[in-house]
């Protein structure tokens, strides 16, 4: 019995053991973005790991990395920008990644068509948020930096954007996009991924101390969180209910959270990557993007590897669906660039190069043959990919235009862009300095599209290949060629070209992926998994084998003889030097004294030199500051020598301070423009360059060009004034002619409208006369039928067939009488505004053309709420419907359409009714679609139409009914879209 009591007591003690309490800092307010962590807690996964996890909601202005470092929380969730924090010496480690694609995008008002339009605009929440570096990296590709727009502090709502108080705002595709769509707000989206800036999101990290002191807790927390995400994605409804009951601080609806859940599952790419995994190659690309935007220095894969917790598995886990796809596919067809060595080429009908080695591994891992489709140019390969004649492109960069027909894997080859010129040309750091030169890019290469976006003012020339471009430089036909460094170095070495060299390197790089047809998304998934499973060592071996330049060992006897002679000369010189050394030692003290005097003279000259000269140490503190600097900036050396961060005096923006510090390391002697402020807070324009002294010290020298720039601006303003005056004169000269032309057009349209309305009125009178003439005969026919029926009844003559025919005559006469009334009512131009049913109005028009519809066996489908009403002009709307229906019937008859159909759909909003009338008559030619509403424009023979029907309809809708009408081609025919207000304002 005592053992039983002991076991019970021991069990109680074990159960009651306290869980370890930890805090997780969320990167936003509570929502489905963190559902995996909620469910890990709800389903007891954290408890099983011995953890009690508290979720800390994000607050405005919070720095998540600092919250973790200051130990306010133990773990944090953040954006890809934490890699910048790590390489800025923050002691953190990345544990897991959950979103393989960031949902972060920039949304702009409808009038902003490109990112270049953001200059001098208002952008909300871009500089005061933790994800600012992600968007700024994309903007950098369009030469937009933080000085080019006004930052508006972030608020936890879209109200400012909806009211158009700001021009752009950073949002998540998983949340705010849903709200904007539901409200019917028009906007444009700029996604960093489209412009080659693909970032991770929802990254779990902690401090290096936490990993060092509690490695088991880190592992348990990671595994339990992954388990929670697996559960949340399989049980979305349950997860949403948990959020609604416990975490719904944003008061989101169930529908909104389910939308977010579906979007998040897509972003996690669980068909490709294990949940929580980190791809070292993708992390290297992200780091390169931040380095190009000068948020950090360029890093190697090994240094990035140290930031990541544990190595990732290289196993492929294909789903059943993916395996079936490959089994049914049997073979993949591939197109390549036939002449782009060492990246790839076609030689003797075989694919060789870096890409070929990777594709060979992919083929073996997927156990499927990959067949080469031969082409002669890269343009041919792209065209075949568009036509689906090849399943994959072995090496291609993502661009907005290519994404219309291709999917892209994570890039597996990254190489910087360089500029090649003739030897002796100056070094180039900014393409704008040579924008008036002839700059070439290989035809249909992705960089053409990307460079045109960033440098819209430069007229780039297309060449057929890299070799073609290099030859054109040699012949003087172009100034420079832009391409990647791997190919350029290979061609220059292979052909022993000694009159060309690399004269510059751009911030941009080639990010090359395997591209696959986007109508088979499973193909991209299996390719991504295959590439992901190739270990880093193997990738490096492939790259090294093709980029390492190999030299043939040939003995040059002339060189050997020269070396021997040189060696003998050195020996003789050494003997002579020993003899002279004694004399030199005697003169050494004299020389040292002269050197000291020389250094003093140099310092005096340095101090009074008429240019800006200064020096900073590696921590950014001032070392030297000459008199010209004192004169221009207003600070003496004594004023700033003790400042911890003197750069802040001249550059208040911390981002610019970082860029200035980075520039101190450059030793190229190239001038760059900077805009510091003086002691009087005046911004000036300066040009600075660095030079390395023999002592390895870096000296900064520069010039104040503020006055020069002011003169340039003044001269430019005068030129603009002169240009505007010229335009104004031309405008005055042309205004009279324009006014006459507009009046003629206005009068013509008015006459056409009057003529058509008179025509309708005359037709109405004619119908009235016909109705008068027809009514009496119809009444007599009906009376005769009644008389015949009475006589037959009196004589007890019963015949079912005869009675049926008499009934048909009665129905026909009644139909003819009603038809006359319909035509009469249709052509009455009463212009009386009334509330009427749109459904009844449509039915009355269809009744008039019932005969034509029946003759051509045309089916009419109506999808609408029959209770929809508007307060407008009923008869005028009838006229528009009649024109559209008759045109549809004519097109169906002309094209002899089988199973002809006219589809009518009506939708209702708060203040508007939209009517869609669509046929299946093959549509209207695109080149004339925008002309069909012009007067006298017709596709019919003159005997069949005047070309005024649709023109009058447009006038009625826009002028009379205060609405809009347009036509669009759909899959099977044309669709007329009529939008009408529910109430016409008088």
């Amino acid at each position: 019995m005592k053992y039983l009591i002991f076991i019970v007591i021991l069990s109680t003690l074990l159960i009651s053991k306290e869980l370890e309490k930890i805090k997780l800092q969320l990167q936003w307010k509570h929502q489905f973005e963190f559902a995996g962590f909620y469910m890990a807690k709800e389903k007891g996964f954290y408890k099983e790991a011995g953890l009690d996890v508290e979720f800390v909601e994000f607050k405005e202005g919070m720095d998540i990395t600092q919250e973790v470092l200051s130990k306010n929380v133990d773990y944090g969730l953040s954006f890809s920008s934490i890699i910048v924090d790590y390489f800025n010496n923050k002691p953190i480690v990345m544990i897991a990644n959950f979103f393989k694609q960031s949902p972060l995008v920039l949304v702009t008002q409808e009038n902003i068509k490109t990112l270049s339009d953001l200059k001098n605009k208002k952008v909300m929440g871009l500089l005061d948020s933790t994800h600012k570096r992600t968007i700024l990296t994309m903007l950098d590709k369009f030469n937009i930096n933080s000085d080019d727009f006004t930052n508006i502090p972030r608020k936890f709502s879209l109200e400012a954007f909806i009211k158009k108080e700001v021009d752009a705002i950073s949002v998540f595709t998983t949340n705010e996009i849903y709200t904007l769509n539901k409200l019917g707000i028009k906007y444009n989206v700029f996604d960093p991924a489209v412009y080659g800036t693909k970032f991770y999101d929802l990254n779990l990290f902690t401090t290096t101390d936490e990993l060092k002191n509690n490695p088991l807790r880190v592992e348990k927390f990671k595994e339990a969180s992954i388990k929670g995400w697996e559960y949340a994605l399989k049980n979305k409804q349950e997860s949403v209910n948990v959020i609604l009951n416990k975490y719904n601080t944003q008061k989101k609806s169930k529908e909104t959270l389910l939308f977010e859940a579906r979007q998040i599952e897509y972003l996690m790419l669980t068909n490709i990557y294990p949940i929580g995994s980190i791809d070292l190659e993708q992390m290297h690309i992200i780091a390169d993007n931040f380095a190009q935007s000068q948020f950090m220095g360029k890093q190697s894969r090994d240094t990035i590897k140290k930031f990541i917790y544990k190595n990732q598995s290289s196993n492929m886990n294909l789903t059943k669906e993916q395996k079936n796809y490959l089994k049914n596919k049997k073979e993949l067809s591939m197109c390549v660039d036939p002449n782009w060595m060492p990246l790839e080429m076609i030689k003797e009908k075989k694919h060789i190069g870096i890409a070929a080695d990777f594709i060979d591994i992919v083929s073996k891992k997927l156990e499927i043959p990959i067949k080469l489709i031969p082409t002669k140019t890269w343009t041919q390969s792209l065209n075949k990919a568009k036509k689906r004649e090849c399943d994959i492109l072995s090496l291609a960069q993502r661009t907005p235009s290519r994404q219309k027909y291709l999917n892209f894997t994570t890039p597996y080859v990254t190489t910087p862009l360089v500029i090649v010129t003739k030897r002796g040309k100056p070094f180039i750091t900014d393409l704008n300095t040579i924008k008036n030169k002839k700059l070439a890019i290989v035809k249909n290469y992705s960089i053409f599209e990307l460079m045109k976006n960033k440098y819209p003012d430069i007229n780039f020339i297309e060449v057929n290949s890299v070799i073609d471009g290099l030859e054109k430089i040699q012949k003087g036909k172009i100034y420079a060629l832009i391409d990647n460094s791997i190919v350029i170095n290979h061609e220059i070495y292979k052909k022993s070209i000694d009159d060309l060299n690399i004269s510059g390197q751009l911030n941009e790089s080639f990010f090359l992926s395997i591209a696959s047809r986007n109508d088979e998304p499973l193909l991209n998934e299996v390719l991504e998994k295959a590439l992901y499973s190739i270990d880093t060592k193997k990738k490096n071996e492939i790259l090294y084998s093709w980029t390492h330049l190999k030299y043939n060992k040939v003995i040059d006897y002339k060189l050997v003889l020269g070396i021997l002679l040189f060696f003998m000369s050195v020996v003789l010189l050494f003997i002579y030097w020993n003899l002279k050394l004694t004399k030199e030692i005697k003169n050494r003290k004299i020389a040292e004294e002269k050197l000291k005097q020389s250094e003093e003279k140099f310092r005096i000259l340095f101090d009074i030199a008429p240019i800006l000269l200064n020096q900073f140490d590696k921590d950014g503190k001032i070392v030297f500051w000459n008199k010209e600097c004192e004169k221009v900036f207003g600070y003496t050396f004594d004023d700033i020598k003790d400042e911890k961060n003197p750069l802040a005096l001249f550059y208040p923006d911390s981002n610019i301070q970082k860029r200035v510090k980075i520039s101190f390391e450059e030793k190229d002697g190239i001038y760059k423009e900077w805009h510091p402020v003086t002691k009087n807070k005046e911004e000036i324009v300066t040009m600075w360059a660095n030079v390395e002294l023999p002592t390895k010290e870096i000296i900064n020298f520069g010039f104040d060009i503020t006055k020069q720039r002011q003169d340039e601006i003044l001269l430019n303003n005068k030129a603009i004034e002169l240009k505007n005056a010229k335009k104004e004169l031309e405008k005055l000269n042309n205004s009279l002619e324009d006014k006459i032309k507009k009046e003629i057009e206005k009068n013509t349209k008015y006459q056409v409208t009057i003529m058509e309305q008179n025509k309708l009125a005359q037709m109405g009178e004619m119908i009235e006369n016909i109705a008068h003439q027809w009514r009496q005969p119809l009444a007599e026919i009906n009376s005769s039928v009644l008389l015949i029926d009475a006589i037959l009844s009196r004589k007890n003559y019963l015949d079912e067939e005869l009675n049926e025919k008499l009934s048909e005559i009665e129905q026909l006469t009644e139909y003819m009488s009603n038809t006359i009334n319909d035509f009469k009512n249709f052509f009455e131009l009463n212009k009386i505004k009334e509330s009427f049913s749109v459904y009844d109005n449509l039915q009355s028009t269809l009744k008039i053309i019932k005969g034509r519809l029946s003759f051509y066996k045309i089916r009419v489908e109506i999808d609408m709420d029959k209770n929809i009403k508007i307060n407008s002009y009923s008869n005028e709307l009838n006229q528009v419907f009649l024109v559209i229906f008759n045109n549809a019937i004519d097109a169906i008859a002309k094209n002899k359409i089988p199973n002809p159909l006219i589809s009518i759909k009506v939708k209702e909003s708060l203040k508007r009714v939209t009517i869609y009338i669509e046929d299946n008559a093959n549509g209207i030619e695109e080149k004339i679609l925008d002309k069909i509403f012009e007067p006298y424009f017709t596709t019919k023979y003159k005997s069949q139409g005047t070309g005024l029907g649709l023109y009058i309809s447009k006038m009625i809708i826009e002028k009379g009914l205060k609405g809009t009408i347009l036509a669009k081609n759909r899959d099977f025919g044309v669709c007329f879209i009529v939008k009408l207000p529910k109430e016409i304002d008088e």
Side-chain angles (χ1 to χ4, degrees):
M1 185 68 183
K2 63 180 179 181
Y3 294 111
L4 181 61
I5 294 170
F6 175 75
I7 291 170
V8 171
I9 293 171
L10 182 61
S11 300
T12 305
L13 288 172
L14 289 172
I15 294 170
S16 62
K17 181 183 177 182
E18 282 193 16
L19 300 175
E20 288 187 272
K21 292 186 177 182
I22 60 171
K23 291 183 180 180
L24 173 63
Q25 176 63 59
L26 308 182
Q27 67 187 53
W28 198 246
K29 300 288 185 180
H30 286 299
Q31 52 194 15
F32 198 91
E33 182 179 357
F34 313 112
F37 305 102
Y38 302 149
M39 298 314 291
K41 185 169 184 175
E42 288 296 315
K43 307 312 291 185
F45 303 148
Y46 286 144
K47 191 173 183 180
E48 290 170 7
L51 300 174
D52 179 9
V53 182
E54 178 186 345
F55 306 122
V56 181
E57 199 171 30
F58 182 81
K59 293 180 181 178
E60 188 173 345
M62 178 180 281
D63 184 334
I64 296 175
T65 302
Q66 195 54 43
E67 288 296 305
V68 176
L69 290 173
S70 61
K71 298 185 179 179
N72 293 332
V73 293
D74 303 286
Y75 297 84
L77 294 167
S78 191
F79 305 90
S80 290
S81 53
I82 58 169
I83 195 171
V84 179
D85 293 332
Y86 173 75
F87 285 110
N88 284 333
N89 300 317
K90 300 289 177 68
I92 56 176
V93 60
M94 185 171 171
I95 303 170
N97 162 257
F98 295 96
F99 292 0
K100 302 305 175 192
Q101 295 180 180
S102 173
L104 181 68
V105 297
L106 190 66
V107 166
T108 68
Q109 300 292 354
E110 194 179 15
N111 62 308
I112 295 176
K113 304 298 182 184
T114 71
L115 288 171
S116 300
D117 296 338
L118 283 177
K119 286 192 174 181
N120 303 317
K121 301 292 185 182
K122 295 179 180 178
V123 182
M124 174 167 274
L126 203 51
L127 301 184
D128 54 342
S129 58
T130 55
H131 56 252
K132 63 183 179 183
R133 297 187 184 102
T134 305
I135 298 295
L136 287 174
T137 301
M138 174 179 68
L139 294 179
D140 181 65
K141 296 181 184 295
F142 289 81
N143 278 335
I144 302 288
N145 58 51
S146 57
D147 297 328
D148 293 326
F149 57 84
T150 302
N151 181 64
I152 306 298
R154 190 73 162 92
K155 296 180 181 177
F156 292 103
S157 77
L158 294 168
E159 186 179 357
F161 183 80
I162 293 168
K163 291 182 177 179
K164 297 189 176 180
E165 294 172 359
V166 295
D167 300 287
I169 186 171
S170 57
V171 303
F172 290 93
T173 55
T174 51
N175 295 307
E176 289 94 340
I177 290 293
Y178 176 82
T179 304
L180 292 174
N181 290 341
K182 195 167 184 180
L183 294 173
I185 304 297
K186 293 183 178 180
Y187 57 87
N188 291 321
V189 174
F190 294 94
D191 187 348
V194 175
Y195 299 98
T197 312
K198 186 178 178 183
F199 291 101
Y200 275 171
D201 207 332
L202 202 66
N203 300 296
L204 179 64
F205 74 102
T206 188
T207 62
T208 52
D209 281 347
E210 170 69 8
L211 179 59
K212 180 180 178 182
N213 299 327
N214 302 289
L216 186 59
R217 184 164 74 181
V218 172
E219 179 64 24
K220 286 182 177 180
F221 182 49
K222 173 190 171 184
E223 293 304 319
S225 299
I226 291 171
K227 199 172 178 181
W229 268 112
E230 289 171 347
Y231 187 89
L233 294 177
K234 290 177 182 177
N235 302 274
K236 297 185 186 69
Q237 290 276 0
E238 181 185 346
S239 302
V240 166
N241 289 335
V242 168
I243 296 171
L244 289 171
N245 293 330
K246 294 188 176 182
Y247 302 103
N248 196 16
T249 56
Q250 297 190 75
K251 302 192 182 304
K252 291 189 174 186
S253 66
K254 187 172 185 178
E255 182 185 16
T256 304
L257 289 168
L258 285 171
F259 172 84
E260 185 184 355
R262 291 189 293 270
Q263 294 294 309
I264 283 172
E265 185 171 27
Y266 168 75
L267 293 173
M268 293 181 74
L269 299 177
T270 54
N271 286 335
I272 300 173
Y273 298 101
I275 293 175
S277 64
I278 304 171
D279 185 351
L280 178 61
E281 193 67 32
Q282 182 60 31
M283 289 297 291
H284 189 254
I285 292 169
I286 292 169
D288 277 352
N289 272 301
F290 283 131
Q292 286 173 14
S293 299
Q294 296 187 348
F295 287 116
M296 54 183 268
K298 188 169 178 64
Q299 304 296 329
S300 68
R301 282 175 175 79
D302 288 338
T303 55
I304 295 170
K305 205 171 183 179
K306 294 175 183 177
F307 173 55
I308 300 170
Y309 169 67
K310 284 193 176 181
N311 295 327
Q312 305 300 310
S313 170
S314 60
N315 295 326
M316 279 203 314
N317 296 309
L318 296 181
T319 64
K320 185 177 180 181
E321 186 182 13
Q322 290 165 349
K323 289 177 181 177
N324 288 336
Y325 168 80
L326 291 173
K327 183 179 179 181
N328 295 329
K329 191 73 176 175
K330 296 179 181 177
E331 180 183 74
L332 296 176
S333 57
M334 172 183 67
C335 290
V336 305
D337 190 323
N339 192 12
W340 206 27
M341 283 298 283
L343 293 174
E344 64 178 351
M345 76 174 295
I346 298 176
K347 185 177 182 180
E348 298 175 356
K349 297 183 181 180
K350 289 185 178 181
H351 184 211
I352 64 170
I354 292 171
D357 287 356
F358 276 97
I359 292 296
D360 184 54
I361 295 172
V362 168
S363 176
K364 290 174 181 176
K365 283 181 174 288
L366 298 179
E367 298 179 355
I368 187 170
I370 299 178
K371 178 184 176 184
L372 174 67
I373 306 296
T375 56
K376 293 183 178 180
T377 64
W378 174 242
T379 301
Q380 285 183 7
S381 294
L382 279 178
N383 288 334
K384 285 186 179 292
K386 286 181 184 177
K387 295 175 183 177
R388 311 301 192 191
E389 293 178 19
C390 48
D391 298 312
I392 66 172
L393 295 172
S394 56
L395 211 57
Q397 175 156 305
R398 180 198 308 265
T399 67
S401 61
R402 291 178 183 175
Q403 283 189 294
K404 295 176 183 176
Y405 58 96
L406 292 170
N407 287 327
F408 294 83
T409 64
T410 299
Y412 66 96
V413 176
T414 304
T415 173
L417 292 180
V418 295
I419 307 166
V420 183
T421 66
K422 280 189 175 181
R423 189 174 293 279
K425 298 296 182 183
F427 194 80
I428 302 160
T429 57
D430 184 356
L431 280 184
N432 287 314
T433 60
I434 55 168
K435 65 180 180 181
N436 296 323
K437 305 285 187 182
K438 291 183 178 179
L439 310 180
I441 296 173
V442 178
K443 189 176 184 181
N444 281 326
Y445 275 14
S446 58
I447 56 169
F448 185 84
E449 184 177 346
L450 299 174
M451 297 300 280
K452 284 299 291 181
N453 281 332
K454 184 166 185 178
Y455 303 99
D457 297 331
I458 297 179
N459 184 24
F460 293 102
I461 298 167
E462 290 186 305
V463 292
N464 293 324
S465 65
V466 171
I467 298 170
D468 181 35
L470 295 176
E471 289 175 351
K472 280 183 166 60
I473 298 174
Q474 290 176 311
K475 294 175 182 178
K477 292 183 178 181
I478 59 175
Y479 182 81
L481 173 71
I482 301 171
D483 209 288
N484 74 79
S485 61
I486 292 178
V487 173
I488 292 296
N489 282 320
H490 176 83
E491 291 299 335
I492 290 177
Y493 164 71
K494 185 180 74 173
K495 295 186 178 297
S496 300
I497 300 172
D498 56 5
D499 59 339
L500 303 182
N501 67 349
I502 293 174
S503 299
Q505 179 174 322
L506 303 179
N507 288 332
E508 292 76 19
S509 293
F510 260 119
F511 295 102
L512 300 168
S513 311
I514 299 179
S516 61
R517 53 193 299 168
N518 63 3
D519 59 337
E520 296 181 9
L522 285 171
L523 178 54
N524 186 60
E525 292 178 8
V526 296
L527 290 170
E528 185 75 68
K529 284 189 173 182
L531 283 175
Y532 180 69
S533 67
I534 303 174
D535 64 79
T536 303
K537 183 180 178 183
K538 185 62 179 176
K539 290 178 183 178
N540 292 336
E541 286 175 0
I542 293 172
L543 292 171
Y544 182 80
S545 67
W546 287 99
T547 56
H548 180 61
L549 301 180
K550 300 173 183 176
Y551 297 92
N552 295 324
K553 295 181 180 179
V554 179
I555 298 174
D556 188 340
Y557 292 101
K558 288 183 179 180
L559 180 62
V560 171
L561 181 60
I563 292 171
L564 288 172
L565 290 172
F566 176 75
F567 179 74
M568 290 174 66
S569 300
V570 169
V571 171
L572 292 172
L573 184 63
F574 179 74
I575 295 169
Y576 169 75
W577 186 259
N578 274 318
L579 294 172
K580 192 178 178 182
L581 187 60
T582 306
K583 185 178 178 181
E584 288 293 331
I585 292 171
K586 293 178 181 178
N587 296 327
R588 184 171 181 177
K589 289 185 179 181
I590 299 170
E592 286 178 351
E593 183 62 30
K594 287 182 178 180
L595 180 62
K596 185 177 179 181
Q597 293 174 1
S598 177
E599 286 180 352
E600 187 62 32
K601 288 177 182 178
F602 172 75
R603 284 200 166 270
I604 293 170
L605 289 172
F606 187 90
D607 197 36
I608 64 172
I611 62 172
L612 301 171
L613 290 167
N614 59 41
Q615 186 181 19
F616 291 81
D617 65 16
K618 63 179 181 179
D619 296 321
K621 290 189 176 183
I622 194 73
V623 175
F624 187 84
W625 186 257
N626 77 343
K627 297 295 184 184
E628 187 68 13
C629 288
E630 291 181 1
K631 176 183 172 184
V632 171
F633 291 101
Y635 293 101
T636 66
F637 179 73
D638 291 335
D639 292 337
I640 59 177
K641 67 179 181 180
D642 296 325
E643 288 285 335
K644 290 183 179 178
N645 183 18
L647 286 176
L649 299 173
F650 312 108
Y651 303 100
D653 190 325
S654 59
N655 289 323
I656 298 178
Q657 292 171 32
K658 290 177 183 177
R659 287 163 58 192
V660 172
K661 283 184 181 179
I662 292 170
S663 75
F664 288 160
E665 299 172 8
E666 297 169 358
K667 310 164 189 175
D668 51 15
I670 304 297
Y671 282 101
K672 292 183 180 178
E673 186 174 307
W674 298 93
H675 293 249
V677 294
T678 66
K679 190 174 184 179
N680 296 329
K681 304 302 179 185
E682 294 178 2
E683 184 179 293
I684 62 174
V685 184
T686 59
M687 296 291 290
W688 288 94
N690 307 327
V691 64
E692 185 176 23
L693 300 178
T695 59
K696 301 299 181 182
E697 292 180 287
I698 303 290
I699 297 293
N700 316 310
F701 59 95
F703 299 92
D704 178 8
I705 61 168
T706 307
K707 184 65 170 62
Q708 177 186 334
R709 281 298 162 86
Q710 289 172 347
D711 292 342
E712 288 175 0
I713 293 169
L714 182 63
L715 185 62
N716 187 53
N717 289 340
K718 291 295 182 184
I720 292 171
E721 288 177 11
L722 185 61
K723 187 176 179 180
N724 290 339
K726 185 180 178 182
K727 285 183 179 178
E728 190 64 30
L729 182 60
E730 290 175 353
K731 185 177 178 182
L732 289 171
N733 289 336
N734 297 328
S735 62
L736 183 60
E737 183 181 346
D738 291 341
K739 286 180 181 178
I740 293 170
K741 186 178 178 181
K742 287 178 182 177
E743 285 299 322
I744 291 172
E745 289 177 355
K746 182 179 177 182
N747 188 53
T748 301
K749 291 179 180 179
Y750 179 73
Q751 293 296 330
V752 169
T753 305
I754 294 297
M755 181 179 71
E756 190 66 17
Q757 288 180 346
N758 288 338
K759 183 178 174 182
L760 293 173
Q762 291 169 7
M763 194 174 291
E765 291 178 5
M766 182 181 72
I767 293 296
E768 178 67 34
N769 292 332
I770 293 171
H772 180 73
Q773 296 296 326
W774 279 27
R775 279 199 180 93
Q776 186 175 353
L778 287 172
E780 289 178 0
I781 291 170
N782 209 35
S783 297
S784 297
V785 169
L786 292 171
L787 182 61
I788 292 169
D789 188 45
I791 292 170
L792 292 174
S793 297
R794 193 167 57 248
K795 292 184 177 182
N796 294 323
Y797 184 81
L798 300 174
D799 189 304
E800 288 186 8
E801 185 176 355
L802 183 59
N803 285 335
E804 185 179 334
K805 293 298 179 184
L806 289 173
S807 297
E808 284 183 12
I809 293 170
E810 283 185 43
Q811 291 173 5
L812 285 170
T813 55
E814 183 180 357
Y815 171 74
M816 291 175 68
S817 178
N818 290 338
T819 301
I820 290 168
N821 288 334
D822 289 340
F823 272 105
K824 178 185 172 186
N825 293 335
F826 181 82
F827 288 102
E828 284 184 2
L829 300 175
N830 52 23
K831 292 293 287 187
I832 297 174
K833 188 171 72 169
E834 60 182 344
S835 177
F836 61 88
S837 164
V838 177
Y839 178 80
D840 292 344
N841 191 281
L842 282 165
Q843 288 293 348
S844 66
T845 308
L846 291 170
K847 198 171 183 182
I848 293 170
I849 58 171
K850 181 178 179 183
R852 293 196 76 196
L853 293 171
S854 177
F855 181 79
Y856 291 110
K857 299 180 180 178
I858 298 172
R859 183 162 50 92
V860 178
E861 293 181 353
I862 300 178
D863 179 11
M864 66 173 292
D865 183 352
K866 295 181 181 180
N867 297 318
I868 296 175
K869 290 186 176 183
I870 61 174
N871 196 17
S872 189
Y873 301 111
S874 173
N875 285 351
E876 293 196 6
L877 185 56
N878 272 132
Q879 294 174 37
V880 174
F881 286 154
L882 187 64
V883 169
I884 296 173
F885 289 146
N886 275 321
N887 281 350
I889 295 169
D890 291 342
I892 288 169
K894 179 182 177 183
N895 296 325
K896 297 179 181 179
I897 302 299
N899 303 317
L901 171 68
I902 295 176
S903 173
I904 304 166
K905 187 178 288 186
V906 182
K907 294 183 178 180
E908 180 183 26
S909 63
L910 190 62
K911 294 184 178 181
R912 186 180 295 276
V913 170
T914 305
I915 304 160
Y916 303 86
I917 303 175
E918 183 176 348
D919 61 45
N920 63 343
N922 297 336
I924 300 171
E925 290 184 57
E926 289 292 340
K927 63 181 180 181
I928 65 170
L929 188 60
D930 58 346
K931 298 180 180 178
I932 62 174
F933 292 106
E934 295 178 5
Y936 303 113
F937 180 84
T938 181
T939 58
K940 306 173 186 175
Y941 294 109
K942 289 186 178 180
S943 60
Q944 295 178 327
T946 63
L948 290 173
L950 286 175
Y951 171 71
I952 294 298
S953 298
K954 187 175 177 67
M955 291 300 104
I956 290 172
I957 292 295
E958 292 181 351
K959 305 297 182 184
L961 305 184
K962 307 300 181 185
T964 60
I965 182 172
L966 58 88
K968 290 184 178 180
N969 278 325
R970 296 286 172 86
D971 292 340
F972 302 105
V974 68
C975 179
F976 284 86
I977 303 169
V978 180
K979 295 183 179 181
L980 299 171
K982 285 188 175 181
E983 178 74 39
I984 293 181
D985 296 329
E986 295 292 352

